[in-house]
Structures are given as C-alpha cells and as structure tokens.
Amino acid sequence: MLDINKSWQRFKLGLGLFVVGAFCLLLLSRLHPVIYFISLGTLLLGFAIAMLGYLGIFLQRFASFKNKKTPPRF
C-alpha cells in the first residue's frame, strides 16, 4: 500500500526544488551559461520529484474510492 505521508514529503521536496530552480533560472541565469543549465536541471528534477509524489497521492486517493462499499439497495 502507498504511504500518503511519504508521497506528501516527496511532493513538497519536489515543489521546493522546482521553486529554487525557477528562482535561479529567472534571476541568476544571466550571469553565466553554466548557472542557466544548473537552474534548468534543478527545475526539471524538482518537477519530476513533485510529479512522483503527486502520483502517489493520486493513486492512494483513487484506491480509497475503489475500496468504498456501495450503499445497500432498497
């Protein structure tokens, strides 16, 4: 079973890396081309980690809907 807390932690870590990468890309990438590629790599890595966390959250929520019992018919 998926651990919702681990998925949330992964999502927050990825979101934080994404924000740092975006910040560096917008403000520091003009200084040197190497900083541009490091910022872009950080942004993409953060996006990938956040999406893995979000996928875990989504799958856990979807599984909880699947496991709910239907109400009895009258």
Side-chain angles (χ1 to χ4, degrees):
M1 193 74 191
L2 296 170
D3 184 15
I4 189 77
N5 293 326
K6 188 181 282 189
S7 294
W8 269 109
Q9 291 297 324
R10 188 175 294 135
F11 176 74
K12 290 189 288 187
L13 173 70
L15 187 61
L17 282 173
F18 181 83
V19 168
V20 168
F23 177 78
C24 291
L25 190 65
L26 291 174
L27 297 179
L28 301 175
S29 65
R30 296 182 190 137
L31 299 176
H32 199 275
V34 173
I35 296 174
Y36 173 80
F37 289 110
I38 290 172
S39 301
L40 190 62
T42 304
L43 184 115
L44 293 175
L45 179 67
F47 177 76
I49 292 171
M51 287 302 104
L52 284 174
Y54 187 75
L55 180 65
I57 294 166
F58 176 76
L59 290 176
Q60 195 276 335
R61 300 283 170 119
F62 190 71
S64 71
F65 287 137
K66 190 174 108 173
N67 292 337
K68 284 189 177 184
K69 295 181 180 179
T70 57
R73 299 183 118 191
F74 292 106

